[in-house]
Amino acid sequence: MRDSTLADIVASVSMSDKFAAHRVDHLFLLVGTNPLPNYVAARLLSREDCRFYLLASRGEAGTEGVAAQLKKRLIADGFQEDRFQTVGVED
């Protein structure tokens, strides 16, 4: 068995990134009560310098709190805070 070179490792990583062709610079996320689908979409479809637009409903039963938690989690994952914009939508 031969030793893997850095070029072999890089080639295998880029071939295994099935979402590379689908990554975007601007990602609009419709925030509902379950943040998991948006988290997965953000992690799979965003480029490193992606801008996120979190569309959340306002009001007592709104999802602005869910959007805030999603933003907090993505920032903890390494995305820059200034790349997020939360847009409150009226019912």
Side-chain angles (χ1 to χ4, degrees):
M1 184 175 177
R2 72 180 182 108
D3 292 334
S4 293
T5 65
L6 182 57
D8 293 334
I9 294 169
V10 169
S12 69
V13 168
S14 49
M15 286 192 314
S16 68
D17 185 2
K18 295 180 170 102
F19 293 94
H22 305 286
R23 294 190 193 280
V24 295
D25 293 323
H26 298 270
L27 190 59
F28 291 81
L29 300 170
L30 302 176
V31 180
T33 56
N34 180 0
L36 186 59
N38 283 318
Y39 177 77
V40 172
R43 297 296 296 159
L44 292 176
L45 300 176
S46 62
R47 292 197 174 122
E48 186 176 323
D49 59 346
C50 183
R51 281 201 164 288
F52 297 93
Y53 302 92
L54 306 175
L55 303 169
S57 58
R58 293 184 179 147
E60 271 185 53
T63 58
E64 287 180 310
V66 177
Q69 290 299 314
L70 177 61
K71 175 183 172 182
K72 182 178 176 181
R73 179 68 246 172
L74 290 169
I75 290 169
D77 286 352
F79 291 98
Q80 295 178 356
E81 187 171 358
D82 65 345
R83 308 300 290 175
F84 292 86
Q85 181 176 347
T86 301
V87 179
V89 178
E90 297 292 330
D91 285 337

